[in-house]
Amino acid sequence: DVKVTQSSRYLVKRTGEKVFLECVQDMDHENMFWYRQDPGLGLRLIYFSYDVKMKEKGDIPEGYSVSREKKERFSLILESASTNQTSMYLCASTTGVLGNTIYFGEGSWLTVV
Amino acid sequence: KQEVTQIPAALSVPEGENLVLNCSFTDSAIYNLQWFRQDPGKGLTSLLLIQSSQREQTSGRLNASLDKSSGRSTLYIAASQPGDSATYLCAVRGGGGANNLFFGTGTRLTVIP
């Protein structure tokens, strides 16, 4: 089975801190994604990566950056956390073939105080 | 831009009932449609994937149908159980890049014992 692992399930950070959310997939998938999920707003794409060192902005990239130095790992970085970034963050991956299933991690709950 | 709608937002049914969840989308030029389950505080688990050329997919007590021309998909759950209680989301993939994926906001299902 495909496994997408988000290393941190629950985090509490202070405003202004730098935050790293890590995601690892074990199926050699080309594409990886970071979403945030908020009540009433659904899932919104923050960033997407289609290959090592390659990235594209999603719908809400402001305040975030990403890093993909290895194919299996995709990191989301909050350079200076703010309270409006309190949310559930979901990582996902899929192969380079458009028709294939997209797999999600368990999610990371981030609270910024 | 593709819009995906799931109505109702919440549904309660007694155990054993058969039920249908709905997903509609505005642009019929889709590549595939995927149904997910999300338990509270968790990530998304893929249930069924229907390619644009298919009419339906089945897995156990679940059956998903797709009518691309009318912009509709349904997820049929037979003989519902309390363990089916969760939020169900649908997502449609457009034909562009791998990030061309649009989610509904989900239907929260409660199966009452």
Side-chain angles (χ1 to χ4, degrees):
Chain A
D1 277 353
V2 174
K3 196 163 178 64
V4 179
T5 303
Q6 294 183 230
S7 55
S8 301
R9 289 281 286 130
Y10 302 96
L11 303 94
V12 180
K13 298 291 182 181
R14 294 192 181 279
T15 300
E17 277 193 78
K18 191 169 186 175
V19 182
F20 293 86
L21 298 180
E22 304 285 339
C23 175
V24 176
Q25 49 93 3
D26 66 357
M27 283 300 292
D28 202 37
H29 285 170
E30 288 84 359
N31 300 309
M32 296 188 74
F33 310 80
W34 275 106
Y35 291 89
R36 65 177 282 177
Q37 185 178 31
D38 301 286
L41 297 177
L43 275 82
R44 293 179 291 168
L45 181 65
I46 304 171
Y47 266 98
F48 155 63
S49 170
Y50 53 93
D51 203 348
V52 175
K53 297 190 187 296
M54 308 304 288
K55 62 186 179 185
E56 283 189 15
K57 293 179 181 179
D59 299 319
I60 51 164
E62 296 78 19
Y64 303 94
S65 62
V66 290
S67 171
R68 192 162 180 205
E69 297 296 319
K70 294 185 177 181
K71 192 174 185 180
E72 67 270 18
R73 187 181 297 270
F74 192 34
S75 302
L76 180 69
I77 303 156
L78 287 67
E79 295 289 343
S80 178
S82 63
T83 54
N84 63 12
Q85 293 178 309
T86 292
S87 186
M88 164 77 135
Y89 290 88
L90 290 163
C91 175
S93 74
T94 187
T95 70
V97 178
L98 276 184
N100 283 356
T101 300
I102 182 168
Y103 296 93
F104 281 82
E106 283 287 282
S108 297
W109 280 99
L110 172 66
T111 301
V112 182
V113 297
Chain B
K1 186 181 176 181
Q2 177 78 266
E3 289 185 11
V4 181
T5 304
Q6 293 183 251
I7 295 173
L11 179 67
S12 290
V13 300
E15 182 177 1
E17 194 165 292
N18 302 326
L19 61 102
V20 174
L21 305 179
N22 297 298
C23 173
S24 61
F25 46 95
T26 54
D27 185 351
S28 62
I30 67 168
Y31 209 86
N32 60 37
L33 184 145
Q34 194 165 352
W35 281 94
F36 296 90
R37 169 188 173 131
Q38 185 175 31
D39 293 295
K42 299 286 185 69
L44 279 65
T45 300
S46 178
L47 297 173
L48 289 164
L49 174 70
I50 311 178
Q51 303 296 346
S52 62
S53 57
Q54 297 174 321
R55 296 286 296 194
E56 63 180 85
Q57 281 286 334
T58 298
S59 176
R61 293 183 295 108
L62 306 180
N63 176 277
S65 69
L66 175 63
D67 183 343
K68 216 172 61 159
S69 60
S70 68
R72 292 179 187 277
S73 176
T74 61
L75 179 66
Y76 174 83
I77 302 177
S80 58
Q81 302 170 357
D84 294 330
S85 297
T87 297
Y88 292 81
L89 295 95
C90 66
V92 299
R93 180 179 294 288
N99 57 336
N100 207 14
L101 186 65
F102 302 91
F103 287 85
T105 51
T107 295
R108 188 174 70 252
L109 172 66
T110 302
V111 180
I112 304 163

